[in-house]
Amino acid sequence: MNNSSDSGICLSTPQHMSIPVLMCLVYFMGFLLNVFSLWVFCCRMSSWSAGTILQFCLALSDALGAPVTPLIAVYFAMGNKWLFGKVLCTVTIVFVSSQFYGSTIFLTLISFHRYKAVVHFNKSSRMKDKSFIKKLCAGVWLFLITHSLVYGFGVPATKEGEVTHCLSFSQVSLTNSFFIISCVLVSIGFLLPLSISATCYFRVKNALTCLNITAKSLKVKLKSQRMIQMCLIIFTICFLPANIIGITATVMMKFYPEHCHTLHQLQTAYYASWIIAGLNCFLDPLLYCFGSQNFRDAFPSFHIKSTEPQQSDTEMTPNAEKITAV
């Protein structure tokens, strides 16, 4: 059925209640896990490595989506009617966008950090310098805030027909803004980080087959490879659907606006993909817990007794070179 108004505007359709319920559940539980992770970083770890700084920023970005999730849930429950004004719409977009693309960027930096530590372990690298990492993270946060504000003010809440919408494909007056911003964000915020993460993984994998290393150092390097692999898996599972659906919807919105039924299906799928993206908030704490010795050391009782020697995040590699912590 072509659900459109006399003016040619595709009228928004209410979302199924399972979407806001699942969204609130996923983001709330993820928020608790990341608040716990932030508490561990701040209160249980006496010293931070360069990798710890990256993990802290990842946990912080993961927690940003939860505070505005109730607003989105009410929006869906009210039949896609935004009741909170333009300012809160902009704030919601800023938080959601910062959480979404902050996670992809910091996952990529963690992968690149491990790549430098394994493949170039015998060379000096600024990725091992905590001072540089702090400046790098500050630059990333500046970029996230800037792009989120541009996004928020570029696609504000608008009244389409008799209903006010926020971040909806029914906002035909913002078609060009949606299209341009989506293309830029998918390119810079997803495709570029994904390419870097994938390159890091395959470079590390190839390095393990080429380097002449001992069994002990091989274990350390395999651990780094698994961490990069986990970052890549989280990256792909959580963020690939939202980016594909989002860019497809904006293309349909710009070039085929008369296909209302398809646009409604894409919008529902896009909102559902936010739930999948929220699973990132569950998976990233596992990255800290099982990929960082420093994180586990914050809880001595967490260790499982083993006859193997414990290896810290600054474990020695052959010829006395060190792998920097993650």
Side-chain angles (χ1 to χ4, degrees):
M1 184 176 72
N2 188 22
N3 185 16
S4 61
S5 68
D6 294 337
S7 62
I9 298 174
C10 285
L11 300 177
S12 180
T13 55
Q15 302 301 319
H16 194 277
M17 280 303 297
S18 61
I19 291 181
V21 170
L22 288 174
M23 188 178 293
C24 286
L25 180 63
V26 167
Y27 278 90
F28 177 71
M29 295 301 296
F31 179 74
L32 294 180
L33 286 173
N34 282 285
V35 167
F36 171 75
S37 299
L38 291 171
W39 173 76
V40 173
F41 288 129
C42 294
C43 302
R44 301 283 299 189
M45 298 176 66
S46 57
S47 61
W48 288 14
S49 65
T52 304
I53 297 172
L54 293 174
Q55 291 171 5
F56 174 84
C57 289
L58 177 59
L60 185 60
S61 67
D62 285 345
L64 290 178
V68 296
T69 301
L71 299 180
I72 300 173
V74 172
Y75 176 46
F76 293 158
M78 295 300 294
N80 283 20
K81 298 177 182 178
W82 185 258
L83 307 176
F84 307 106
K86 288 189 176 182
V87 173
L88 281 181
C89 176
T90 299
V91 170
T92 298
I93 294 173
V94 167
F95 273 74
V96 170
S97 182
S98 295
Q99 183 266 327
F100 197 96
Y101 292 103
S103 296
T104 63
I105 292 174
F106 286 116
L107 278 170
T108 301
L109 288 177
I110 289 173
S111 297
F112 186 70
H113 176 255
R114 288 316 307 165
Y115 156 74
K116 295 293 289 185
V118 172
V119 178
H120 302 289
F121 65 89
N122 59 345
K123 298 179 181 179
S124 60
S125 171
R126 300 194 72 180
M127 291 300 293
K128 302 176 185 179
D129 183 359
K130 288 193 292 184
S131 177
F132 172 76
I133 291 296
K134 290 178 181 178
K135 295 176 182 178
L136 178 63
C137 290
V140 171
W141 281 114
L142 180 61
F143 166 76
L144 289 173
I145 293 171
T146 302
H147 103 266
S148 297
L149 288 173
V150 171
Y151 195 5
F153 285 106
V155 288
T158 59
K159 194 169 185 178
E160 308 292 341
E162 299 298 322
V163 180
T164 300
H165 294 288
C166 177
L167 201 60
S168 169
F169 298 132
S170 297
Q171 295 174 272
V172 293
S173 60
L174 301 176
T175 296
N176 290 331
S177 297
F178 269 113
F179 182 75
I180 294 172
I181 292 174
S182 294
C183 289
V184 172
L185 289 181
V186 169
S187 300
I188 299 177
F190 179 72
L191 292 178
L192 180 60
L194 178 62
S195 300
I196 294 174
S197 296
T199 301
C200 290
Y201 171 72
F202 287 111
R203 289 290 299 274
V204 170
K205 185 177 180 180
N206 291 335
L208 292 177
T209 61
C210 298
L211 295 176
N212 183 20
I213 52 181
T214 65
K216 183 178 179 180
S217 63
L218 178 62
K219 182 178 179 180
V220 178
K221 293 177 184 292
L222 284 173
K223 180 180 175 182
S224 295
Q225 181 190 352
R226 286 193 293 269
M227 172 169 273
I228 298 175
Q229 184 179 34
M230 189 173 180
C231 288
L232 192 58
I233 290 173
I234 294 173
F235 201 120
T236 304
I237 291 176
C238 296
F239 300 113
L240 182 62
N243 279 276
I244 290 179
I245 296 170
I247 195 65
T248 302
T250 54
V251 170
M252 287 291 299
M253 184 179 177
K254 181 172 177 61
F255 298 106
Y256 306 98
E258 69 278 6
H259 295 277
C260 291
H261 180 66
T262 302
L263 277 170
H264 293 152
Q265 290 181 319
L266 286 170
Q267 181 157 286
T268 298
Y270 183 62
Y271 290 148
S273 71
W274 286 7
I275 301 173
I276 300 174
L279 295 176
N280 166 69
C281 303
F282 281 93
L283 297 175
D284 286 344
L286 296 179
L287 191 70
Y288 319 140
C289 190
F290 296 104
S292 173
Q293 187 68 41
N294 289 341
F295 194 94
R296 294 197 299 274
D297 285 344
F299 300 94
S301 60
F302 180 82
H303 295 290
I304 299 175
K305 291 184 178 180
S306 173
T307 56
E308 296 181 2
Q310 293 293 324
Q311 294 176 335
S312 69
D313 285 345
T314 53
E315 180 63 70
M316 299 294 288
T317 62
N319 302 321
E321 289 96 355
K322 290 185 177 181
I323 290 182
T324 307
V326 171

